[in-house]
Amino acid sequence: MPAGTPRVAVVSGTSSGIGAAVAAEFLRRDYTVVGLSRRGNPDLAEHPGYHDHLADVRDGEAVQAALTSAAGATADGVDAVVLNAGASPDPVDLVKVDWRTVADTYETNVRTALNLVQATAALLRRNGGGSLTFVGASLANGYRPERWTYAASKAAMTTLMRACSVEFADDGVVANEVRPGPVATAMTMAGLDGEVDEQIIRAINAGFGTDWLKSPRTVAEWIVTIAEFPSNGPTGQVFNYSRKVL
């Protein structure tokens, strides 16, 4: 990318939670951000550096169309891609798992990641390199049988991340994964609407004996820092911020 050109990041799942916080952190670091989500984010859209694009990331054509419409921002390529979009189905006994739920979870968590990788590979190459940063889950270790559906999809994302670290190594692209552990979002805290105050998170952590609950903002700082690794930096790595064994 030519000197003086703003750095560009593409982030999926920016309507709320971790994705919205990652987009905000990139903006804080003076990136131009292309956000992809099904619902959009009106608050982020007020920022002049944010490009809000509605797209169901499960649909590869929709992803490509959204990036085509953002061509003005990505004309010189993309520096960073954060693959965050996903969903977590309710826990269920392993012997009662319905395959349709499994397939739907793979569509939402794995297909979305593959679609974004395929749609942004040329943009990363055009930039002369960059990063693919996957938002994973420590549950991918498989030790929670009632969460197998979600865990299996996240384990598949890990293998995709490692495949990317090899596939795009000669293009100067690093690929890594962040496993944040518990985060104060609607996905992990039922009924949550909006952001949890840091004081409340500290109070919860004071009696939280199993794992460290983090704010989306804290996790976003880690993700963006990892997304800024240079082309000769770590790649194919899982950065785990959970107490759970990998």
Side-chain angles (χ1 to χ4, degrees), residues 161-162 164-166 169 173-176 229 231-239:
M161 176 274 290
R162 289 187 168 132
C164 289
S165 73
V166 177
V173 176
V174 296
N176 292 292
F229 283 166
S231 294
N232 63 345
T235 191
Q237 303 302 308
V238 173
F239 294 87

Coordinates of all heavy atoms in Angstrom, one line a residue, residues 161-162 164-166 169 173-176 229 231-239:
M161 N -7.7 -21.7 9.9 CA -6.7 -20.7 10.2 C -5.3 -21.2 9.9 O -4.5 -20.6 9.3 CB -6.8 -20.3 11.7 CG -5.7 -19.3 12.2 SD -4.2 -20.1 12.7 CE -4.7 -21.0 14.2
R162 N -5.0 -22.5 10.3 CA -3.7 -23.0 10.1 C -3.4 -23.3 8.6 O -2.3 -23.1 8.1 CB -3.5 -24.3 10.9 CG -3.4 -23.9 12.4 CD -3.0 -25.1 13.3 NE -2.6 -24.6 14.6 CZ -3.1 -25.1 15.8 NH1 -3.9 -26.1 15.7 NH2 -2.7 -24.6 16.9
C164 N -4.6 -21.4 6.3 CA -4.4 -20.1 5.7 C -2.9 -19.7 6.0 O -2.3 -19.0 5.2 CB -5.3 -19.1 6.3 SG -7.0 -19.2 5.7
S165 N -2.4 -20.1 7.2 CA -1.0 -19.7 7.5 C 0.0 -20.2 6.6 O 1.1 -19.6 6.4 CB -0.7 -20.1 9.0 OG -0.5 -21.5 9.1
V166 N -0.4 -21.4 6.0 CA 0.5 -22.0 5.0 C 0.2 -21.5 3.6 O 1.1 -21.1 2.8 CB 0.4 -23.5 5.0 CG1 1.2 -24.2 3.9 CG2 0.8 -24.1 6.4
A169 N 1.4 -17.8 3.1 CA 2.7 -17.4 3.7 C 3.6 -16.7 2.7 O 4.2 -15.6 3.1 CB 3.4 -18.6 4.3
V173 N 1.2 -12.8 4.3 CA -0.1 -12.8 5.2 C 0.1 -13.8 6.3 O 0.5 -14.9 6.2 CB -1.3 -13.3 4.4 CG1 -2.5 -13.3 5.3 CG2 -1.5 -12.3 3.2
V174 N -0.1 -13.3 7.6 CA -0.1 -14.1 8.7 C -1.5 -14.4 9.1 O -2.4 -13.6 8.9 CB 0.7 -13.5 9.9 CG1 2.2 -13.3 9.6 CG2 0.1 -12.1 10.3
A175 N -1.7 -15.6 9.7 CA -3.0 -16.1 10.1 C -2.9 -16.6 11.5 O -2.1 -17.5 11.8 CB -3.6 -17.1 9.2
N176 N -3.7 -16.1 12.4 CA -3.7 -16.5 13.8 C -5.1 -16.5 14.4 O -6.1 -16.0 13.8 CB -2.8 -15.5 14.6 CG -1.4 -15.6 14.3 OD1 -0.7 -16.6 14.6 ND2 -0.8 -14.6 13.6
F229 N 0.4 -7.9 13.7 CA 1.7 -8.6 13.5 C 2.3 -8.4 12.1 O 1.6 -8.4 11.1 CB 1.5 -10.1 13.8 CG 1.4 -10.5 15.2 CD1 0.9 -11.8 15.5 CD2 1.7 -9.6 16.2 CE1 0.8 -12.2 16.8 CE2 1.5 -10.0 17.6 CZ 1.1 -11.3 17.9
S231 N 4.6 -9.3 8.7 CA 4.6 -10.5 7.8 C 5.6 -11.6 8.3 O 5.4 -12.8 8.0 CB 5.0 -10.1 6.4 OG 3.9 -9.3 5.9
N232 N 6.6 -11.2 9.1 CA 7.5 -12.2 9.6 C 7.3 -12.5 11.1 O 8.1 -13.1 11.8 CB 9.0 -11.7 9.5 CG 9.3 -10.5 10.2 OD1 8.4 -9.8 10.7 ND2 10.6 -10.2 10.4
G233 N 6.0 -12.1 11.5 CA 5.6 -12.4 12.9 C 5.0 -13.8 13.1 O 5.0 -14.6 12.1
P234 N 4.5 -14.1 14.3 CA 3.9 -15.3 14.5 C 2.7 -15.6 13.5 O 2.0 -14.7 13.2 CB 3.3 -15.2 15.9 CG 4.2 -14.2 16.6 CD 4.5 -13.2 15.5
T235 N 2.6 -16.9 13.1 CA 1.5 -17.3 12.2 C 1.1 -18.7 12.5 O 2.0 -19.5 13.0 CB 1.9 -17.1 10.7 OG1 0.7 -17.2 9.9 CG2 2.9 -18.0 10.3
G236 N -0.1 -19.1 12.3 CA -0.6 -20.4 12.6 C -0.7 -20.7 14.1 O -0.8 -21.8 14.5
Q237 N -0.8 -19.6 14.9 CA -0.8 -19.7 16.3 C -2.2 -19.5 16.9 O -3.0 -18.7 16.4 CB 0.2 -18.7 16.9 CG 1.6 -18.9 16.4 CD 2.1 -20.3 16.7 OE1 2.1 -20.8 17.8 NE2 2.7 -20.9 15.6
V238 N -2.5 -20.2 18.0 CA -3.7 -19.9 18.8 C -3.3 -19.2 20.1 O -2.4 -19.7 20.9 CB -4.3 -21.3 19.2 CG1 -5.5 -21.0 20.2 CG2 -4.8 -22.0 18.0
F239 N -3.8 -18.0 20.3 CA -3.6 -17.2 21.5 C -4.8 -17.4 22.4 O -5.9 -16.9 22.1 CB -3.3 -15.7 21.1 CG -2.1 -15.5 20.3 CD1 -2.1 -15.7 18.9 CD2 -0.9 -15.3 20.9 CE1 -1.0 -15.5 18.2 CE2 0.3 -15.1 20.2 CZ 0.2 -15.2 18.8

